[in-house]
């Protein structure tokens, strides 16, 4: 436990300068955006393109549609669309400026330092992440928050026997991940964190149907997000099968046959997950390992 805390402290120190640099650059871009929106003339093409990309993110357009617009629209057309959505961009700039404060760090530390974190502590962090803007999400990531959540899941996975408390802790930690992965920066950071998708996947346990359904929902979104996400999910599910000494996806198939209260929702989640995995996996070989 002490070794894990030392490693996290070292990692936090190593990214401090990088975090400050990124924050300064983001503040510079924010001021440039505000100045450009209030200026009477269109800025240079590079600034227009940057602002247009930020607008695409703010509008949450599908990646393919956004890419096509970025590549094909002229600078004048981009600027026209930017001006039409000026308030959206100003709101994004205002949201980015909100910081991750001492109270937020304390909520994360309470989970990191506890052998078994309380459900209330995790709910406090979950609520902070649900209402977080870009600035807070970025600071949470730099505070090694994803590593803390991942390590907490692994500690509960090592608990024997697994109890209802373990199920409740895992459920709330996964709600934190769900809130975090609801935006591009959070999702990208989760995919970069070693063992994170594996830890989420390994928590699948159909004794707690709500927990299992939540995990399948997170994994489906991850598959849809990118090819890298789909590959990580596929690899993690296969490793889970090997860990349980089962054939691939046997856990899901056994759960599908269960006759329990609330089982219909789980069966629907399983079918949807398998369907998404098939759709998003380009190589047949990977689907049938």
């Amino acid at each position: 436990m002490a070794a894990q805390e030392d490693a996290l402290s070292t990692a936090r120190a190593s990214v401090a300068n990088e975090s400050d640099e990124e924050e300064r650059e983001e503040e510079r871009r924010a001021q440039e955006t505000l100045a450009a929106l209030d200026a009477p003339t269109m800025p240079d093409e590079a600034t227009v393109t940057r602002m247009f990309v930020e607008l695409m993110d703010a509008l949450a357009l599908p990646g393919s549609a956004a890419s096509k617009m970025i590549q094909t629209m002229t600078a004048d057309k981009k600027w026209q669309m930017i001006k039409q959505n000026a308030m959206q961009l100003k709101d994004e700039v205002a949201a980015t400026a909100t910081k991750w404060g001492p109270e937020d760090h304390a909520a994360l530390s309470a989970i990191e330092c506890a052998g078994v974190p309380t459900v209330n502590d995790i709910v406090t962090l979950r609520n902070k992440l649900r209402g977080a803007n870009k600035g807070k999400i970025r600071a949470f990531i730099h505070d090694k928050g994803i590593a803390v959540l991942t390590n907490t899941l692994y500690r509960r996975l090592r608990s024997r026997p697994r109890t209802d408390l373990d199920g409740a802790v895992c459920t709330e930690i996964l709600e934190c991940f769900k809130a975090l992965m609801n935006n591009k920066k959070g999702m990208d950071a989760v995919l970069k964190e070693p063992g994170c998708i594996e830890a989420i996947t390994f928590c699948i346990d159909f004794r707690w149907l709500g927990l299992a359904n939540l995990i399948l929902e997170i994994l489906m979104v991850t598959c849809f997000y990118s090819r890298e996400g789909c590959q990580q999910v596929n690899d993690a599910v296969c490793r889970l099968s090997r860990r349980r000494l089962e054939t691939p996806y046997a856990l899901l198939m056994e759960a599908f046959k269960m006759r329990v209260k609330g089982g219909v929702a789980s069966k629907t989640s399983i079918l949807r997950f398998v369907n998404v995995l098939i759709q998003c996996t380009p190589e047949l070989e990977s689907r049938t390992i």
Side-chain angles (χ1 to χ4, degrees), residues 3-289:
Q4 284 183 345
E5 291 176 5
D6 289 343
L8 285 170
S9 298
T10 302
R12 286 190 178 116
S14 71
V15 300
N17 290 336
E18 179 187 336
S19 177
D20 290 342
E21 235 177 84
E22 184 179 344
E23 191 167 314
R24 284 194 294 271
E25 175 60 20
E26 191 149 333
E27 286 177 0
R28 185 195 67 77
R29 290 198 302 265
Q31 293 303 316
E32 184 181 66
T33 296
L34 292 175
L37 289 172
D38 292 334
T41 57
M42 185 177 81
D44 61 87
E45 189 170 343
T47 301
V48 170
T49 299
R50 178 185 62 74
M51 292 174 65
F52 191 74
V53 171
E54 291 173 359
L55 177 61
M56 295 296 98
D57 288 341
L59 295 176
L61 292 181
S64 57
S67 296
K68 185 176 180 181
M69 293 172 72
I70 292 168
Q71 293 169 8
T72 60
M73 289 178 68
T74 64
D76 287 337
K77 288 290 186 183
K78 289 176 182 174
W79 183 243
Q80 183 180 354
M81 189 168 175
I82 288 169
K83 294 294 282 185
Q84 289 171 349
N85 294 275
M87 286 308 301
Q88 184 88 20
L89 277 178
K90 287 182 177 181
D91 288 345
E92 284 293 306
V93 169
T96 302
T98 307
K99 307 300 181 184
W100 175 261
E103 184 182 334
D104 303 305
H105 176 75
L108 180 63
S109 294
I111 296 170
E112 178 185 353
C113 298
V116 181
T118 68
V119 171
N120 285 340
D121 282 342
I122 306 171
V123 169
T124 298
L125 180 63
R126 181 199 70 191
N127 291 337
K128 290 178 179 295
L129 290 175
R130 279 182 175 173
N133 49 56
K134 285 183 179 178
K136 277 202 168 187
I137 291 294
R138 182 185 67 242
F140 173 80
I141 294 167
H142 283 303
D143 206 16
K144 309 307 292 180
I146 297 176
V148 170
L149 297 181
T150 302
N151 290 338
T152 302
L153 287 183
Y154 276 123
R155 285 201 300 271
R156 302 283 42 86
L157 286 168
R158 289 193 291 269
S159 175
R160 292 292 183 274
R162 293 189 73 193
T163 65
D164 287 343
L165 176 59
D166 294 315
V169 167
C170 288
T171 297
E172 293 304 332
I173 289 290
L174 288 160
E175 288 286 359
C176 291
F177 273 117
K178 181 180 176 181
L180 181 65
M181 296 164 76
N182 196 35
N183 68 82
K184 183 178 186 301
K185 194 169 191 67
M187 178 66 85
D188 287 341
V190 165
L191 291 176
K192 288 178 183 175
E193 182 68 31
C196 186
I197 295 298
E198 178 183 87
I200 292 172
T201 305
F202 281 13
C203 287
I204 295 176
D205 193 325
F206 286 94
R207 285 177 295 174
W208 300 290
L209 296 182
L211 169 65
N213 293 343
L214 175 59
I215 294 170
L216 293 178
E217 179 186 351
I218 292 172
L219 297 182
M220 279 188 279
V221 172
T222 305
C223 286
F224 270 126
Y225 181 72
S226 67
R227 180 172 293 189
E228 169 65 20
C230 186
Q231 188 62 57
Q232 286 198 32
V233 169
N234 190 45
D235 290 346
V237 172
C238 289
R239 283 196 295 273
L240 174 60
S241 297
R242 289 195 290 271
R243 188 172 188 255
R244 294 172 57 89
L245 302 178
E246 298 173 343
T247 56
Y249 306 100
L251 174 62
L252 298 180
M253 296 305 101
E254 286 301 314
F256 191 78
K257 299 174 186 176
M258 289 170 53
R259 295 180 178 273
V260 294
K261 185 178 180 180
V264 173
S266 290
K267 290 179 181 182
T268 303
S269 293
I270 292 168
L271 287 175
R272 288 175 60 212
F273 172 65
V274 172
N275 187 46
V276 166
L277 199 59
I278 290 171
Q279 287 182 45
C280 296
T281 305
E283 296 85 7
L284 181 63
E285 186 177 357
S286 296
R287 301 178 195 164
T288 55
I289 290 175

